[in-house]
């Protein structure tokens, strides 16, 4: 018999207290009974005001970021420069060995890292494990093939500063840091304010033990910006986040002429034009809701040919009704495997309220609600806090005044726009002045070949979703979704090393755009 909400319990051994005790045992140098520490100057430091934090999973208390002041952050950056000047002369063979040893340690503690991701950012177990695995497997690809990538190149003049969003601490942030170190740079990371603190701390503790010159600090963007973005010691700024913050970072690095990689959001769209393979579309809809669409390559907008709208709904609605959400660690019986969910909570209750308010406002101004899920159908513990959970919502024709019309919601909210001509299709798919990915579903390959180059996204799929990619796959963005050097494969190494005099990196720069 299927489990009902009042039969579910927390799987034994998966509580936050269990994960915390394991962190204390694995890396006592980085964790205290009541807080985590900051890492700089090759040592762990207890300074910094620890803020309270709660898990999006159930609203319970978890470790909060120990925020440094600006002066201490400057000290940490200067110490990182000293590490960088020594590390850049370490032979490649030794750098490879140390990074490989770090990957072995991450593999050993894979399940703990994944459990921390569940509690800190609400990832379902399957996706949390995938985040850890993608980091490990992706960096191993670079370890195995780094020699030709760095041939004729040298490390930067200063460390790489990483400021990333909370949604992929391992497969984006830790991955980037280890490749940057492999290429000969010391690395600095700012802990995302909204989550990932303990996971990143554990990962950096394992790396620091192997001699990787890593710095991990917490603090507000305003307090740390001068140190992590504008400081003359910084050789490159790598940023992943929203356009508002990204624009401020872009202005600073442009004024300073500093190397930069700025991945920003865009409204990724899925177009439907002269299409008939509805089974294929229906099969992919649940996958598009992975992690509640809280990722930079999510597809929150469908642009649909009006004449096909009835057929689109017949494929879409049954698929979205099958989406499963709930507590990622709740089971009916202690021996049961952890549940297979499409997503858990959004990052916090404030974001859930923001999304709910945006949906209400859009409907008040004319959007048509096509589907609204309900939390009472979710997979929850009895009486648990569900304030950070948002069921799937689908709106037709959000009004131009709504943020849902032109911006990425970063949550499980789909919007649909109907069009009658190819020109309208392209205009709607290019609504956000550039995106990271897009897809066009059309039966006719000639139509795809003609329209795809006019879609302003770095990657365009033919009836299939595109992703950030791993290993040799390149990644970037068009328009306002990306600034600076493109990454992925060999381009990531080029972005954080110096090449021949006069080299022009592939990317989107103020003075030029150079595509692969």
């Amino acid at each position: 018999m299927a489990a009902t909400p009042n039969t579910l319990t927390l799987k034994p051994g998966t509580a936050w207290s269990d994960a915390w005790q394991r962190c204390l045992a694995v890396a006592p140098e980085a964790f205290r009974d009541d807080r985590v520490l900051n890492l700089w100057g090759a040592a762990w430091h207890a300074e910094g005001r620890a803020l309270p934090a709660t898990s999006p999973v159930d609203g319970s208390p978890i470790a909060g970021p120990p925020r440094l002041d600006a002066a201490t952050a400057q000290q940490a950056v200067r110490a990182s420069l000293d590490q960088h000047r020594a590390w850049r002369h370490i032979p490649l063979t030794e750098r490879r060995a140390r990074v490989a040893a770090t990957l072995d340690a991450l593999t050993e503690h894979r399940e703990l890292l994944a459990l921390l991701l569940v509690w800190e950012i609400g990832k379902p177990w399957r996706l949390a494990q995938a985040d850890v695995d993608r980091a490990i497997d992706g960096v191993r690809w670079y370890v195995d093939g780094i020699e030709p990538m760095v041939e004729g190149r040298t490390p930067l003049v200063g460390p790489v500063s990483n400021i990333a969003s909370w949604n992929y601490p391992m497969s984006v942030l830790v991955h980037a840091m280890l490749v940057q170190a492999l290429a000969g740079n010391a690395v600095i990371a700012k802990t995302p304010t909204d989550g990932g603190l303990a996971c990143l701390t554990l990962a950096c503790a394992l790396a620091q033990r192997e001699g990787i010159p890593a710095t991990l600090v917490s603090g507000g963007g305003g307090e740390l910006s001068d140190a992590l973005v504008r400081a003359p010691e910084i050789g490159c700024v790598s940023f992943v986040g929203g356009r508002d913050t990204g624009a401020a970072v872009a202005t600073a690095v442009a004024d300073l002429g500093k190397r930069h990689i700025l991945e920003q959001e865009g409204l990724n769209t899925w177009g439907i034009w002269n299409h008939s393979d509805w089974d294929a579309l229906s099969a992919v809809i649940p996958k598009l809701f992975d992690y509640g669409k809280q990722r930079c390559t999510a597809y929150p907008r469908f642009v649909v040919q009006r004449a096909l709208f009835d057929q689109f709904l017949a494929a879409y609605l049954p698929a979205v009704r099958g989406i499963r959400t709930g507590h990622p660690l709740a089971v009916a019986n202690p021996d049961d495997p952890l549940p297979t969910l499409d997503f858990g909570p959004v990052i916090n209750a404030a974001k859930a309220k923001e999304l709910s308010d945006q949906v209400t406002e859009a409907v008040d101004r004319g959007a048509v609600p096509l589907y609204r899920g309900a939390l009472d159908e979710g997979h929850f513990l009895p009486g648990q806090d569900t304030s950070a959970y948002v069921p799937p919502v689908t709106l037709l024709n959000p009004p131009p005044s709504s943020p849902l019309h032109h911006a990425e919601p970063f949550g499980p909210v789909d919007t649909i726009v109907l069009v009658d001509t190819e020109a309208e299709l392209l205009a709607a798919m290019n609504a956000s002045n550039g995106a990271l990915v897009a897809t066009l579903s059309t039966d006719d390959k000639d139509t795809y070949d003609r329209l795809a180059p006019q879609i302003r996204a770095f990657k365009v799929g033919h009836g299939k979703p595109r992703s950030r990619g791993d290993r040799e796959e390149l990644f970037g963005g068009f328009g306002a979704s990306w600034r600076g050097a493109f990454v992925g494969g060999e381009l990531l190494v080029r972005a954080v090393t110096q090449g021949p005099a006069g080299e022009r990196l592939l990317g989107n720069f103020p003075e030029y755009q150079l595509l692969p």
Side-chain angles (χ1 to χ4, degrees):
M1 186 176 69
T4 57
N6 63 355
T7 66
L8 298 179
T9 60
L10 188 68
K11 186 172 178 65
T14 66
W16 169 255
S17 58
D18 296 321
W20 188 254
Q21 289 302 314
R22 290 170 65 184
C23 288
L24 290 172
V26 172
E29 70 272 27
F31 294 85
R32 294 291 181 268
D33 287 340
D34 60 343
R35 62 180 292 160
V36 303
L37 307 184
N38 287 291
L39 171 63
W40 59 273
W44 294 92
H45 299 264
E47 78 275 76
R49 181 170 58 93
L51 297 184
T54 57
S55 169
V57 170
D58 61 2
S60 59
I62 59 173
R67 295 165 67 103
L68 295 180
D69 57 29
T72 307
Q74 292 280 6
Q75 221 179 329
V77 169
R78 286 192 291 271
S80 181
L81 177 61
D82 292 338
Q83 288 181 296
H84 179 83
R85 287 171 171 166
W87 178 256
R88 70 195 310 270
H89 297 296
I90 297 292
L92 178 59
T93 52
E94 185 174 342
R95 298 201 305 264
R96 283 184 61 184
R98 294 189 187 185
V99 172
T102 300
L103 297 178
D104 291 342
L106 295 175
T107 301
E108 180 183 354
H109 299 289
R110 167 183 180 263
E111 290 197 357
L112 176 54
L113 291 163
L115 183 58
L116 293 170
L117 291 180
V118 174
W119 281 109
E120 293 191 290
I121 62 175
K123 284 202 171 185
W125 182 241
R126 171 179 61 88
L127 299 178
Q129 289 178 300
D131 191 18
V132 177
D133 291 343
R134 284 183 62 189
I136 295 169
D137 296 343
V139 178
R140 283 200 194 280
W141 181 84
Y142 284 93
V143 169
D144 292 340
I146 188 63
E147 286 91 345
M149 298 185 199
V150 296
E151 187 174 355
R153 309 187 68 81
T154 59
L156 299 176
V157 296
V160 182
S161 176
N162 295 272
I163 303 169
S165 57
W166 44 264
N167 52 343
Y168 285 91
M170 293 295 298
S171 63
V172 173
L173 183 50
V174 170
H175 176 280
M177 293 170 67
L178 291 178
V179 175
Q180 293 159 6
L182 181 63
N185 304 289
V187 293
I188 305 170
K190 176 186 173 296
T191 304
T193 304
D194 288 325
L197 170 68
C199 178
L200 285 169
T201 300
L202 178 58
C204 285
L206 299 175
Q208 199 265 344
R209 287 179 181 178
E210 303 300 337
I212 303 297
T215 294
L216 181 66
V217 294
S218 295
E223 296 168 313
L224 302 192
S225 180
D226 280 346
L228 300 185
V229 176
R230 298 182 179 87
E233 293 92 343
I234 299 296
C236 176
V237 176
S238 177
F239 170 86
V240 180
R243 289 192 180 186
D244 291 343
T245 304
V249 174
T251 299
V253 295
D255 290 345
L256 297 168
K258 197 181 293 290
R259 182 76 64 91
H260 58 283
I261 306 161
L262 310 182
E263 176 186 331
Q264 302 172 139
E265 63 189 359
L267 183 63
N268 306 315
T269 58
W270 192 300
I272 309 288
W273 189 261
N274 292 339
H275 175 74
S276 64
D277 190 356
W278 301 110
D279 288 343
L281 180 66
S282 185
V284 81
I285 293 299
K287 297 181 178 66
L288 302 183
F289 276 90
D290 272 359
Y291 194 32
K293 302 207 172 194
Q294 296 178 102
R295 61 186 192 277
C296 63
T297 54
Y299 286 84
R301 167 67 51 80
F302 290 91
V303 181
V304 181
Q305 188 177 4
R306 191 183 306 272
L308 300 178
F309 185 45
D310 58 336
Q311 298 175 68
F312 171 82
L313 284 184
Y316 175 89
L317 289 176
V320 76
R321 289 189 184 110
I323 298 297
R324 295 191 71 213
T325 186
H327 193 305
L329 303 172
V331 294
N333 301 292
D335 294 335
D336 287 350
L338 291 170
T340 301
L341 303 172
D342 295 291
F343 61 92
V346 296
I347 187 58
N348 52 46
K351 178 62 179 179
K353 184 179 186 305
E354 175 189 290
L355 287 169
S356 178
D357 290 346
Q358 288 178 350
V359 168
T360 299
E361 181 183 52
V363 172
D364 288 345
R365 295 182 181 182
V368 178
L370 296 176
Y371 178 77
R372 287 177 174 172
L375 289 184
D376 57 13
E377 301 169 357
H379 183 87
F380 296 110
L381 298 176
Q384 81 161 81
D385 184 326
T386 60
S387 59
Y389 290 79
V390 178
V393 177
T394 308
L395 302 179
L396 175 65
N397 289 336
S401 59
S402 169
L404 297 176
H405 178 80
H406 55 79
E408 182 180 10
F410 231 63
V413 179
D414 276 348
T415 56
I416 300 172
V417 173
L418 302 183
V419 295
D420 296 298
T421 67
E422 289 184 357
E424 290 177 334
L425 174 81
L426 291 171
M429 293 191 72
N430 292 329
S432 67
N433 183 28
L436 304 175
V437 297
T439 292
L440 178 61
S441 289
T442 182
D443 293 346
D444 182 41
K445 187 175 185 304
D446 290 342
T447 299
Y448 173 83
D449 290 341
R450 177 167 48 83
L451 296 179
Q454 301 177 68
I455 299 171
R456 297 277 294 161
F458 188 80
K459 296 180 179 180
V460 181
H462 187 185
K464 297 180 180 179
R466 300 302 306 271
S467 68
R468 203 175 195 277
D470 293 302
R471 303 178 177 91
E472 70 273 7
E473 191 171 353
L474 308 183
F475 193 56
F478 274 16
S481 69
W482 196 280
R483 301 171 190 265
F486 295 146
V487 296
E490 187 175 358
L491 295 190
L492 175 53
V493 174
R494 291 186 193 176
V496 295
T497 54
Q498 297 283 358
E503 178 185 47
R504 300 175 81 210
L505 294 174
L506 297 176
N508 183 22
F509 296 92
E511 62 274 16
Y512 73 89
Q513 182 185 69
L514 190 59
L515 301 177

